[in-house]
Amino acid sequence: MNDPRDVILEPVLSEKSYGLIERGVYTFRVHPKSTKPEIKDAVEEIFNVRVQKVNTLRRKGKRVRNRRNFSYGRKPSTKRAVVTLHAGDSIQMFDL
């Protein structure tokens, strides 16, 4: 992947992710085929910060029921990256 904005799709905004921001840990939804070095380089380039560690996880899409015709579908599976920054670094768009 050449463009870092193809690797980092969007930030994850939840209570748990906001609780981690205080410790310098940020959560992003990333492209399913991206690797940890690609994610690290993309975050450093986009936000101009130093990344200490990257953890990734895959979330399987949930099964959902359609009430009208009683059929079933699926929500899409996603990949998330939990990025830890060096002490003193922060991403300005997440500052509360």
Side-chain angles (χ1 to χ4, degrees):
M1 307 220 171
N2 295 336
D3 188 21
R5 298 194 188 275
D6 290 338
V7 176
I8 305 293
L9 301 178
E10 65 184 2
V12 174
L13 305 175
S14 65
E15 287 185 40
K16 188 172 185 177
S17 67
Y18 271 114
L20 293 172
I21 289 174
E22 298 170 1
R23 295 188 287 167
V25 178
Y26 297 88
T27 308
F28 298 97
R29 192 167 69 85
V30 297
H31 190 274
K33 293 186 178 181
S34 60
T35 62
K36 289 183 181 184
E38 288 176 342
I39 295 168
K40 178 182 177 183
D41 293 340
V43 170
E44 287 178 345
E45 186 173 334
I46 293 171
F47 300 109
N48 197 21
V49 293
R50 296 175 300 153
V51 174
Q52 181 177 1
K53 181 170 63 167
V54 176
N55 292 330
T56 59
L57 58 124
R58 293 183 181 267
R59 295 184 55 158
K60 186 175 179 181
K62 293 183 178 180
R63 180 179 173 199
V64 292
R65 182 174 64 94
N66 186 348
R67 291 183 180 200
R68 290 185 184 246
N69 57 6
F70 301 107
S71 64
Y72 292 94
R74 274 203 141 352
K75 289 189 175 183
S77 298
T78 60
K79 183 174 183 177
R80 293 184 177 194
V82 180
V83 178
T84 305
L85 302 182
H86 282 277
D89 286 355
S90 67
I91 297 175
Q92 297 300 324
M93 85 177 185
F94 288 102
D95 287 343
L96 304 174

